[in-house]
Amino acid sequence: MDLNTVTEVRDARERVPWQPGDAWLAGGTFLFSEPQPHVRRLVDLGRMGWRPVGRLPDGALEIAATCTIAELSRYGRSLDAPAAPLVEQCCRAFLASFKIWHLATIGGNLCTALPAAPMTALTAALDGRCLLRSQAGVLRRLPVTEFITGAGEQKLGEGELLRSVTLPARALHRRTAFRRASLSGLGRSGALVVATLDPADASFTLTVTASTVRPVRLWFPALPDAAALRDTLGGAVRDGDWCDDPHGLPAWRRHMTFRLAEEARRELDERTGHS
């Protein structure tokens, strides 16, 4: 879609002063998908030269905001870590064309804060932390679960930039179980659940996205039984936190979330030989 209100495109390397009507441009797949009448100038991140994705000296995985889904998918297939399959599973949850895969970015997927955003599921499930940079150059870090506060809502300040997301090395060693549901075979996610089991201390986590307006992450010191998981999940998600849109009614999303959560819990239980 043409953005006929845009009068200027600037290179982000120039550090131009931020002004009302500015918008960061990375892949642009969301920005150009619908009218943006408030946008007057685009600040293009395309030439920043950030490494798309790679390991840090401490073993953590750093994903640049400008990393595309295609780049992350390729890296994930070569990643030597127990949690590696989750990368491809979440990339495939886009169900997007190859053109979108080569343009859409991880940063854009997080900053639009859509409930069905699969990069939210991936990074929240693996303890992702966002690195944010203000116009003054001040850096701050926030867990993904705190960065996204609601449907289309996140904690970016005026002119603030999402620089990268870091997944700690320990999280990459977790066993994972992935479950997803939608109203149609090629539809947007209506419920997406990721369960993890940490071999270091046997702790269990459950991350819920797509069915809720914000990511919900539960932690247990050990693998819970079905009743404990159901009770904790029921208490963690308030009635108003279930999504309500054409991709699924709240009652259906709630039902599918509980069902998928139990399936994921049972998968990890069976893989550890408890049952």
Side-chain angles (χ1 to χ4, degrees):
M1 172 175 288
D2 291 336
L3 300 182
N4 56 17
T5 59
V6 173
T7 60
E8 186 180 9
V9 179
R10 298 292 296 270
D11 190 327
R13 296 174 300 175
E14 299 174 5
R15 293 295 183 93
V16 294
W18 196 261
Q19 59 190 33
D22 282 357
W24 296 111
L25 171 63
T29 54
F30 174 79
L31 196 61
F32 285 91
S33 69
E34 59 184 46
Q36 309 286 345
H38 61 287
V39 176
R40 299 291 181 269
R41 181 172 69 173
L42 300 177
V43 184
D44 187 4
L45 297 167
R47 298 182 180 179
M48 294 301 288
W50 297 331
R51 179 179 66 165
V53 56
R55 301 295 282 267
L56 297 175
D58 64 356
L61 186 67
E62 182 184 55
I63 309 170
T66 50
C67 176
T68 67
I69 305 307
E71 289 171 328
L72 182 60
S73 173
R74 284 195 299 270
Y75 186 88
R77 291 194 295 269
S78 65
L79 180 62
D80 183 18
L86 184 62
V87 176
E88 184 70 5
Q89 288 168 327
C90 288
C91 287
R92 292 290 169 184
F94 272 99
L95 296 176
S97 71
F98 76 94
K99 292 185 290 185
I100 297 298
W101 265 51
H102 285 81
L103 288 174
T105 63
I106 277 65
N109 197 241
L110 288 170
C111 290
T112 54
L114 298 177
M119 294 300 99
T120 298
L122 171 66
T123 55
L126 296 181
D127 296 347
R129 293 181 66 84
C130 299
L131 176 61
L132 309 174
R133 189 183 71 200
S134 73
Q135 285 293 298
V138 177
L139 301 176
R140 64 185 180 115
R141 293 185 183 272
L142 276 180
V144 170
T145 50
E146 295 180 17
F147 175 65
I148 298 173
T149 58
E153 301 174 354
Q154 27 65 14
K155 289 187 176 178
L156 277 177
E158 183 68 22
E160 196 169 29
L161 171 70
L162 173 61
R163 168 62 182 85
S164 62
V165 182
T166 301
L167 310 180
R170 178 169 173 173
L172 300 176
H173 288 88
R174 293 178 185 155
R175 301 185 187 94
T176 65
F178 173 94
R179 292 292 188 279
R180 175 185 174 276
S182 64
L183 287 176
S184 63
L186 297 178
R188 179 178 291 182
S189 298
L192 199 162
V193 168
V194 178
T196 75
L197 197 62
D198 191 334
D201 61 3
S203 62
F204 173 90
T205 68
L206 183 80
T207 302
V208 176
T209 59
S211 59
T212 52
V213 296
R214 57 178 177 80
V216 174
R217 188 171 184 276
L218 309 178
W219 180 88
F220 299 82
L223 189 82
D225 60 22
L229 180 62
R230 182 175 61 251
D231 291 345
T232 304
L233 180 57
V237 185
R238 299 169 297 181
D239 289 344
D241 286 338
W242 298 105
C243 283
D244 185 4
D245 64 21
H247 301 285
L249 294 173
W252 175 78
R253 292 180 190 265
R254 184 181 188 278
H255 170 76
M256 292 306 301
T257 298
F258 278 78
R259 175 179 171 177
L260 298 179
E262 172 55 19
E263 287 182 6
R265 184 203 69 83
R266 190 177 303 146
E267 178 184 330
L268 291 180
D269 192 18
E270 291 172 351
R271 283 162 57 185
T272 53
H274 292 165
S275 52

